[in-house]
Amino acid sequence: MEHEVLSSPAFEQTTGDQFVLLKLDTARQRAVAESLGVTSLPSDLVMSPEGRVIFRREGFQPGGGRAYLDSLARHRGTPRPPTAPANSATANPGS
C-alpha cells in the first residue's frame, strides 16, 4: 500500500493538502493505538482537525489502490478555512 498507493501521483491528486499522513508503529506506540481503537492491521483512520475519527478502514480490503483512493475521496470533508493573518486584529483599526 505504501509503495503502490501512498507515494503515487493519483494519491496526491486525490488527497491534495487535506490529509496529513501519520504512520503509527503499534508495537512501540501501543497506548496511542489503543486510544484510537486500533485493533487490527492495517488500519487507516481519517480524523478531523479536532481529533474526531470520521472514517475508519480496518484489515485488508479488496479492490486495490483505486478502491482505496475512492474511499478517501469520499471522506475528504470540507476544505479547511483560511488562516487569518497574525495581525488581523490591527489590520483594519477603523472597523
Side-chain angles (χ1 to χ4, degrees), residues 17-40:
D17 65 349
Q18 295 184 12
F19 287 91
V20 175
L21 295 179
L22 171 69
K23 185 174 182 177
L24 178 66
D25 182 340
T26 57
R28 292 184 180 176
Q29 298 167 316
R30 191 165 292 159
V32 176
E34 288 176 6
S35 73
L36 295 172
V38 173
T39 58
S40 65

Side-chain angles (χ1 to χ4, degrees), residues 5-21:
V5 178
L6 301 180
S7 61
S8 72
F11 179 80
E12 188 173 328
Q13 290 171 351
T14 299
T15 60
D17 65 349
Q18 295 184 12
F19 287 91
V20 175
L21 295 179

